[in-house]
Amino acid sequence: MKKAKAPKAKLEHQNGHGLPFKFAKLLDPEASWDKDQLGDVLHWIRQVAGLMCGLIWGAIPLVGAVWILVFLVLSSGIIYVYYAQILKIDEEEFGGHGALLQEGLFASFSLFLLAWIVVYSLAHF
């Protein structure tokens, strides 16, 4: 005789609430965002962009300060399009354009440079 399975328990955080974040929320302009959640999402999008650009720049091989500026413009453009056009976030609620555009910038720039230098050095020397 088979035993009935108990329903799977909902994953919970230590505070007892269910998971506060779902991937569908990433593209939902109607979703509500708090400052920490939006900051985390922008940070990780920028990290992925930094890693991808670093790998591509190093593999091609691109050299020069112009490509650093291209990365900064591209990375900031991706972030701006994401929060302004896709999520339709009002920047003033989150501290203005500067606060949202700077989210994760230093860390992604560091990751970009690291990936670019390592891939370039390994592939072309």
Side-chain angles (χ1 to χ4, degrees):
M1 186 162 141
K2 285 187 175 182
K3 291 184 181 180
K5 287 185 178 181
K8 289 185 179 181
K10 188 175 183 182
L11 295 176
E12 294 185 3
H13 289 286
Q14 291 176 349
N15 61 6
H17 295 290
L19 288 174
F21 185 77
K22 295 179 182 167
F23 286 109
K25 186 177 179 180
L26 289 174
L27 299 174
D28 184 9
E30 300 297 320
S32 65
W33 292 89
D34 68 7
K35 194 171 188 174
D36 290 335
Q37 284 179 335
L38 183 60
D40 288 347
V41 169
L42 295 179
H43 173 86
W44 287 109
I45 289 172
R46 198 179 287 267
Q47 300 319 301
V48 169
L51 181 61
M52 296 305 297
C53 287
L55 295 173
I56 292 168
W57 270 228
I60 287 181
L62 300 174
V63 294
V66 170
W67 296 105
I68 292 173
L69 293 175
V70 168
F71 165 71
L72 292 172
V73 169
L74 182 66
S75 174
S76 296
I78 290 169
I79 294 299
Y80 179 77
V81 166
Y82 179 71
Y83 77 75
Q85 303 297 320
I86 294 175
L87 295 181
K88 301 190 183 334
I89 297 288
D90 181 20
E91 299 90 11
E92 298 305 321
E93 292 178 25
F94 293 93
H97 287 292
L100 291 176
L101 285 177
Q102 290 176 13
E103 194 67 47
L105 181 61
F106 182 73
S108 75
F109 183 67
S110 300
L111 182 60
F112 162 71
L113 287 178
L114 178 67
W116 187 13
I117 292 167
V118 168
V119 170
Y120 183 86
S121 297
L122 290 174
H124 305 288
F125 280 114

